[in-house]
């Protein structure tokens, strides 16, 4: 993917002096005497850039060059600028700190982080012009460029942006060339980051505390664009928030150390502006300083995320469930900004591997994320340690984190899922070495052969059965780690078989793990332990274990007690073993803890905690309370695969053939879902009508359709069944 890597003749350039947080603008002018046939700009940066040629924005890429494992891989972009080139040309490139020099993560002050923040920002680029007469010219970044301070006085991922619109660059200086690797350069590999939906402000109101607040009615990730009629020197100060507090006041303590603010000094007259070198996760704006009486028409929320195409659709007869689905889609939009992040607002916004692993299947049905994950998985492999350990986050900005089960297993789970959904074995070829290295890491680091004991893990993170004061659920960490060890080994075997690798050692290893697991863990304690034992085929008797799980859930008052690790599989295990009713009971439950509880509390994205806002209106906490954390949105894959019944046949990945086995629930009148696969759109819908159930199925590929106990092998077509 991405094409051939270019040989850059250009030099890395930067400012000749330190200008603190101010964003520099680099400039180059040239004349074009002859007629131009084609002109191309190749550009990248240590930081994030926005380029203009003759006053016009170059391309639509926001926050270019995106976020990769910068020490090893840095994308450059290619823009066709033929239509922008004139006789007299001026190219300007404004540079922000971006992820490259950001103080990420907010809660660590390691020497690594300080070193990252202190490294130089700079740009590297070339303009290639082909003239009508066949001659060529190349303009490169070098000593001939000049730089000045831009009107962007500050910009950074966590803290936001400050623009002084009255600022005019008067001083221009010669740039400094500097040494930075060009070996790390790769062509654009992921999806471009783009401005996507525009959400209009729903209201502007004064809170009980007397503050002016804008409500977009939807949490998004991106930035606000505002229009204001002002006098030169008028100030604007805006803060971002996700929710209002119990009294209806603006609240953003949960952003922790991320200031997430906009500062703006107005010029004279009517002006429209939005930040360009940073982003925010928000639904509300606090207009701390704003000239005149603000009205909703002045604000547009611009959603910014990777250019992934929507492929999935789910509709049901229950408005609350439909809102949940909408929240899941928005959760994905808000956290698929070049890297799959845990959340878009507080001082994290990191590519947490566990969160990504949990959500990959849902993500791949909702949107076409093949390119998105291909790039990220290449970064995962690039940042994987020598000994095979996979960091908690990718790109790996955390220092000293041991590999954790269910987080590091993203190394095997994500590539396998991307292959299953899209059918291209290239991802397995690309990742196979990394997948094996990960499993080998466990083999080499466990304190008990054929299990994974003695590691440090996140456990069943945020499990509802967590002991008082702990973030980790009650499931045994060694149990979870060993279960994922088995699962990852199995995926290495499957992947190896697909791409024709010899996997005998892993087959033997897997057998041993299963045997040792069964001997060591003859009994299961928690819901999550039951779930993993069944889901990964480790239980000696899966039906009996699923029966016990169902009983446990009933004993718990038909409530989940699971966290990050158990939740994604709980409904699958139930409906695969005859407990579809119970699965629907959990899905449609409205009281805490449940997916719909947050919907009842007005959520527009998925929350980190089931009770981010508790029943009494208070917050769960200030330090770990994101309202846009996609992980629990993984329930959507159960709706696609079980409720609507659309499944990949493992041996025919990419929906070359489909398995369609809808499982209706009495709680809903009707439910329909569709996935636009590589082979066309598969849809499935059922409706309860007068004591019977009507099924409508459309498949562009041969499918095995299962309705109740009856099975039909069908060719491509539209089908109606009654039951
Ligand atoms: C993140 C999570 C992540 C976790 C690891 C949190 O701070 O927001 O989503 O997976 O740490 O335990």
């Amino acid at each position: 993917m991405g094409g051939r890597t270019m040989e850059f003749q250009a030099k890395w350039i930067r400012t000749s002096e330190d200008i603190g947080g101010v964003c520099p603008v680099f400039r180059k002018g040239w004349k074009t005497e002859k007629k131009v046939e084609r002109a191309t700009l190749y550009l990248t940066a240590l930081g994030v850039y926005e380029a203009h040629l003759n006053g016009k924005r170059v391309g639509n890429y926001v926050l270019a060059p995106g976020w990769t494992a910068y020490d090893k891989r840095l994308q450059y972009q290619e823009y066709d600028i033929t239509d922008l080139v004139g006789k007299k040309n001026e190219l300007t490139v404004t540079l922000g700190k971006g992820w490259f020099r950001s103080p990420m993560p907010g809660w660590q002050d390691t020497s690594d982080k300080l070193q990252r923040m202190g490294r130089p920002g700079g740009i590297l680029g070339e303009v290639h012009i082909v003239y009508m007469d066949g001659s060529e010219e190349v303009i490169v970044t070098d000593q001939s460029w000049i730089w000045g301070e831009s009107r962007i006085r500050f910009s950074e991922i966590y803290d936001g942006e400050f623009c002084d619109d009255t600022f005019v660059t008067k001083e221009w200086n010669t740039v400094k060339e500097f040494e930075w690797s060009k070996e790390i350069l790769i062509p654009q590999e992921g999806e471009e980051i783009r401005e996507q939906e525009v959400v209009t402000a729903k209201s502007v109101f004064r809170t009980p505390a007397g503050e002016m607040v804008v409500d977009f009615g939807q949490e998004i990730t991106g930035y606000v664009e505002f229009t204001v009629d002002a006098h030169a020197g008028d100030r604007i100060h805006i803060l971002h928030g996700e929710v209002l507090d119990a009294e209806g006041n603006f609240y953003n303590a949960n952003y922790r150390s991320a200031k997430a603010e906009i500062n703006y000094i107005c010029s004279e007259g009517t002006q429209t502006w939005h930040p360009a070198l940073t982003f925010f996760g928000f639904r509300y704006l606090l207009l701390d300083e704003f000239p005149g009486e603000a009205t909703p028409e002045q604000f547009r929320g611009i959603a910014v995320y990777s250019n992934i195409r929507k492929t999935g659709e789910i509709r049901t007869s229950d408005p609350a469930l439909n809102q949940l689905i909408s929240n899941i889609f928005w959760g994905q939009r808000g956290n698929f900004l070049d890297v799959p992040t845990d959340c878009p607002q507080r001082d994290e916004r990191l590519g947490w591997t566990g969160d990504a692993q949990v959500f990959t299947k849902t993500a791949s049905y909702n949107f076409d994320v093949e390119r998105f994950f291909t790039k990220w998985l290449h970064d995962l492999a690039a940042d994987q340690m020598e000994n095979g350990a996979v960091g908690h986050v990718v790109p790996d900005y955390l220092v000293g984190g041991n590999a954790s089960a269910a987080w590091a297993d993203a190394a095997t789970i994500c590539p396998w899922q991307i292959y299953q959904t899209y059918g291209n074995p290239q991802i397995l070829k690309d990742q196979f070495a990394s997948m094996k290295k990960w499993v080998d890491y466990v083999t080499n680091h466990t304190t008990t052969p054929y299990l994974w004991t003695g590691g440090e893990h996140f456990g069943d993170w945020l499990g509802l059965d967590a002991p008082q004061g702990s973030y980790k659920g009650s499931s045994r960490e060694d149990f979870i780690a060993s279960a994922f060890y088995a699962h990852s080994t199995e995926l290495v075997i499957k992947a190896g078989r697909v791409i024709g690798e010899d996997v005998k050692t892993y087959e033997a290893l897997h057998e041993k793990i299963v045997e040792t697991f069964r001997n060591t863990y003859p009994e299961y304690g928690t819901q999550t332990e039951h779930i993993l034992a069944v889901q990964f085929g480790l239980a000696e008797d899966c039906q009996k274990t699923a029966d016990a799980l169902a009983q446990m859930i009933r004993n718990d008052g038909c409530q989940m007690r699971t966290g990050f690790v158990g939740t994604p599989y709980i409904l699958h295990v139930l409906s695969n073993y005859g407990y579809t009713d119970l699965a629907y009971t959990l899905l449609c439950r409205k009281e805490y803890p449940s997916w719909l509880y947050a919907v009842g509390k007005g959520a527009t994205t998925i929350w980190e905690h089931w009770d981010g806002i508790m029943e009494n209106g208070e917050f769960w906490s200030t330090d770990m309370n994101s309202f846009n954390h996609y992980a629990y949105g993984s329930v959507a894959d159960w709706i696609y695969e079980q409720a609507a019944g659309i499944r990949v046949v493992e041996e025919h990945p990419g929906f070359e053939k489909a398995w369609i086995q809808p499982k209706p629930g009495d709680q809903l009148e009707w439910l329909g879902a569709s996935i636009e696969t590589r082979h066309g759109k598969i849809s499935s819908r059922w409706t309860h009508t007068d004591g019977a159930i009507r099924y409508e199925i459309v498949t562009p590929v041969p499918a095995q359709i299962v309705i109740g106990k009856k099975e039909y092998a069908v060719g491509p077509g539209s089908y109606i069944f009654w039951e």
Side-chain angles (χ1 to χ4, degrees):
M1 193 164 289
R4 201 172 55 86
T5 304
M6 245 196 32
E7 289 284 326
F8 278 87
Q9 309 158 40
K11 298 276 195 304
W12 282 105
I13 57 168
R14 63 170 158 117
T15 59
S16 50
E17 61 189 85
D18 184 4
I19 49 168
V22 175
C23 295
V25 55
F26 298 92
R27 196 172 124 185
K28 170 77 182 176
W30 77 92
K31 288 205 180 95
T32 306
E33 311 285 355
K34 299 185 277 186
K35 270 204 173 312
V36 174
E37 184 181 307
R38 192 171 69 246
T40 312
L41 169 66
Y42 301 90
L43 189 59
T44 189
L46 304 173
V48 288
Y49 70 80
E50 197 179 72
H52 288 85
L53 180 56
N54 301 327
K56 293 226 174 71
R57 173 87 200 273
V58 176
N60 298 314
Y61 200 136
V62 185
L63 297 164
W67 190 12
T68 44
Y70 290 131
D71 293 341
K72 295 127 193 162
R73 291 157 36 81
L74 175 64
Q75 301 181 122
Y76 63 84
Q77 286 71 45
E78 178 180 339
Y79 304 97
D80 181 348
I81 52 167
T82 315
D83 293 342
L84 296 180
V85 178
K87 281 213 168 75
K88 215 170 141 242
N89 297 292
E90 186 177 77
L91 178 62
T92 61
V93 182
T94 309
L95 179 70
K97 291 182 183 178
W99 296 280
F100 186 79
R101 297 169 66 211
S102 176
M104 303 178 106
W107 67 92
Q108 269 188 355
D109 271 324
T110 57
S111 53
D112 274 53
K113 170 169 145 182
L114 297 176
Q115 181 264 331
R116 261 200 308 273
M117 290 167 71
R119 57 192 177 178
I123 63 164
L124 177 98
E126 297 188 357
V127 178
H128 289 208
I129 306 173
V130 179
Y131 294 103
M132 292 291 193
D133 65 8
S135 62
E136 291 182 21
E137 188 182 353
V138 180
I139 295 151
V140 302
T141 47
D142 61 12
Q143 206 79 63
S144 69
W145 286 55
I146 50 174
W147 73 274
E149 292 187 9
S150 78
R151 63 184 185 140
I152 310 298
R153 311 308 291 164
F154 175 85
S155 185
E156 191 277 313
I157 301 289
Y158 288 157
D159 286 346
E161 201 155 302
F162 170 21
C163 173
D164 179 354
D165 206 43
T166 63
F167 183 85
V168 181
T169 317
K170 290 201 195 80
E171 230 185 273
W172 292 94
N173 305 295
T174 303
V175 300
K176 189 171 170 183
E177 291 180 2
F178 71 110
E179 288 304 318
W180 200 267
S181 173
K182 289 194 233 167
E183 304 281 297
I184 57 176
L185 296 172
I186 52 167
Q188 172 70 26
E189 202 178 74
E191 298 283 2
E192 280 191 17
I193 307 162
R194 294 259 184 92
E195 290 189 355
Q196 310 274 1
E197 291 82 357
V198 176
V199 180
T200 52
K202 299 290 172 291
S203 61
V204 178
F205 61 96
R206 204 168 278 283
T207 65
E211 295 173 324
M212 286 306 282
V213 165
V214 180
D215 178 10
F216 287 95
Q218 172 63 55
E219 167 142 359
I220 63 166
T221 298
Y223 36 69
V224 60
E225 177 178 84
F226 56 76
T227 301
V228 65
D229 188 9
H231 291 302
D234 283 353
R235 282 181 173 268
I236 291 176
H237 181 222
I238 294 175
L239 296 176
H240 298 73
E242 299 183 279
V243 289
L244 300 177
D245 72 10
E247 283 76 46
N249 288 316
F250 180 82
Y251 174 86
N252 72 351
N254 63 329
Y255 285 45
R256 306 198 301 214
S257 70
K259 288 194 192 120
E261 62 182 352
I262 289 173
N263 280 290
Y264 182 83
I265 300 177
C266 304
S267 49
E268 190 67 28
T270 302
Q271 54 217 281
T272 296
W273 183 79
H274 65 73
L277 302 172
T278 186
F279 64 91
F280 310 85
F282 65 102
R283 168 175 167 172
Y284 297 98
L285 302 177
L286 169 66
L287 305 180
D288 183 42
E289 280 181 86
F290 199 81
E293 266 309 299
T295 60
E297 297 71 44
Q298 288 175 274
F299 304 92
R300 285 166 298 282
I302 302 178
V304 174
Y305 55 93
S306 295
N307 206 23
I308 49 179
R309 189 174 55 90
K310 187 167 180 279
T311 48
E313 182 105 42
I314 299 174
R315 292 262 182 281
T316 79
S317 53
D318 180 358
L321 208 48
N322 292 340
Q323 182 63 48
L324 174 72
I325 301 305
S326 165
N327 297 358
I328 293 169
F329 274 88
W330 274 108
Q332 182 167 356
R333 293 183 180 105
N335 285 296
F336 272 53
L337 205 166
D338 213 33
V339 161
T341 53
D342 56 335
C343 58
Q345 73 301 76
R346 69 179 178 215
D347 55 359
E348 298 216 33
R349 315 190 197 180
L350 298 161
W352 281 95
T353 45
D355 307 43
Q357 174 268 108
V358 159
F359 192 69
T360 302
K361 189 189 271 190
T362 289
S364 71
Y365 295 160
N366 286 346
F367 291 88
D368 183 344
V369 292
E370 186 174 22
R371 240 186 116 157
F372 177 90
F373 268 107
T374 300
K375 163 193 163 266
W376 185 72
L377 285 167
H378 289 173
D379 287 316
L380 183 148
D383 270 351
Q384 191 166 6
M385 284 166 232
E386 252 335 279
N387 65 5
V390 175
H392 301 327
V393 300
V394 172
D396 196 355
Y397 271 19
L398 293 185
V399 184
N402 291 311
S404 165
W407 269 250
D409 292 284
T412 53
I413 296 173
C414 301
W416 180 251
Q417 185 58 52
I418 293 302
Y419 168 65
Q420 283 291 292
T421 304
Y422 303 111
N424 185 351
Q426 189 58 44
I427 188 82
L428 300 181
K429 290 184 189 149
D430 291 1
Q431 300 302 126
F432 192 64
S434 152
M435 295 170 81
K436 278 201 305 190
K437 228 167 121 178
W438 164 239
V439 168
D440 295 348
Y441 168 85
V442 180
T443 306
N444 296 330
H445 287 80
T446 179
T447 53
T448 314
Y450 309 121
L451 296 175
W452 185 7
T453 58
E456 272 176 49
H457 307 283
F458 293 117
D460 191 14
W461 187 246
L462 304 185
L464 285 159
D465 55 1
Q468 190 66 31
S470 170
Y471 286 136
K472 297 179 186 177
S474 294
S475 302
R476 289 166 285 179
E477 287 183 26
D478 287 348
F479 182 105
I480 296 174
S482 301
F484 274 89
Y485 180 31
H487 185 48
S488 275
T489 307
E490 193 185 6
L491 295 180
V492 166
I493 296 167
K494 287 183 178 184
R497 283 182 191 153
V498 171
I499 60 173
E501 293 278 347
D502 177 6
V503 288
K504 277 194 215 76
T505 16
Y506 293 94
E507 285 166 348
L509 174 65
H510 186 253
E511 257 177 52
K512 281 283 191 192
I513 297 174
V514 175
E515 188 191 317
T516 315
F517 188 93
R518 285 180 180 166
N519 292 336
T520 313
Y521 304 111
E523 277 164 27
Y524 316 124
T526 60
Q527 288 187 10
T528 292
E529 290 185 9
H530 284 79
I531 293 164
L532 294 184
V534 178
Q535 180 72 21
F536 297 157
L538 296 166
E540 206 123 16
D541 186 337
C542 284
Q543 184 62 56
K544 216 173 104 196
T545 310
D547 294 344
L549 170 68
Q551 197 49 50
M552 250 187 124
I553 296 171
R554 291 208 177 100
N555 294 347
D556 283 329
C558 287
Q559 292 182 32
M560 285 181 290
R561 313 283 294 143
T562 49
F564 264 47
V565 168
T567 306
Y569 306 126
I570 187 170
L571 303 190
H572 286 279
V573 169
L574 288 174
S575 53
N576 279 336
Y577 288 89
Y579 295 99
T580 296
D581 266 7
L582 189 52
Y584 274 103
T585 304
L586 294 180
L587 177 70
C588 296
R589 181 185 159 88
K590 295 211 158 70
E591 308 76 34
Y592 166 81
S594 69
W595 282 278
L596 296 186
Y597 168 80
V599 170
K601 287 284 183 189
T604 61
T605 38
I606 301 296
W607 294 355
E608 180 174 22
H609 294 276
W610 298 108
D611 55 347
I613 298 175
M614 297 188 293
E615 258 143 359
N616 63 8
E618 298 294 325
F619 294 117
W620 191 86
S621 76
T622 38
D623 68 328
M624 277 288 287
N625 208 10
S626 152
F627 292 94
N628 194 357
H629 235 72
Y630 60 50
Y632 289 145
S634 60
V635 69
D637 61 53
W638 181 85
I639 303 180
Y640 287 112
E641 289 192 345
Q642 303 270 358
I646 306 169
R647 277 203 234 179
V648 175
V649 179
E650 199 174 292
E651 303 73 46
H652 299 279
F655 293 96
E656 195 188 19
K657 278 193 184 155
W659 182 275
I660 305 174
Q661 184 173 12
K663 294 184 178 163
D666 293 339
Q667 291 85 341
L668 301 172
E669 222 170 277
W670 58 266
L671 179 145
S674 63
I675 302 173
E676 256 180 62
T677 75
R678 289 281 179 270
H679 300 275
K681 181 162 151 180
I682 304 179
S683 65
S684 161
R685 180 190 160 102
W686 49 257
T687 320
H688 288 283
T689 35
D690 302 326
I693 307 172
R694 179 190 150 94
Y695 297 86
E696 294 159 73
I697 290 167
V698 182
T699 172
V701 292
Q704 199 70 14
I705 298 180
V706 185
I707 303 293
K709 294 210 159 32
K710 291 204 188 113
E711 244 184 87
Y712 311 84
V714 303
S718 306
Y719 301 91
I720 292 183
F721 299 90
W722 288 89
E723 195 196 10

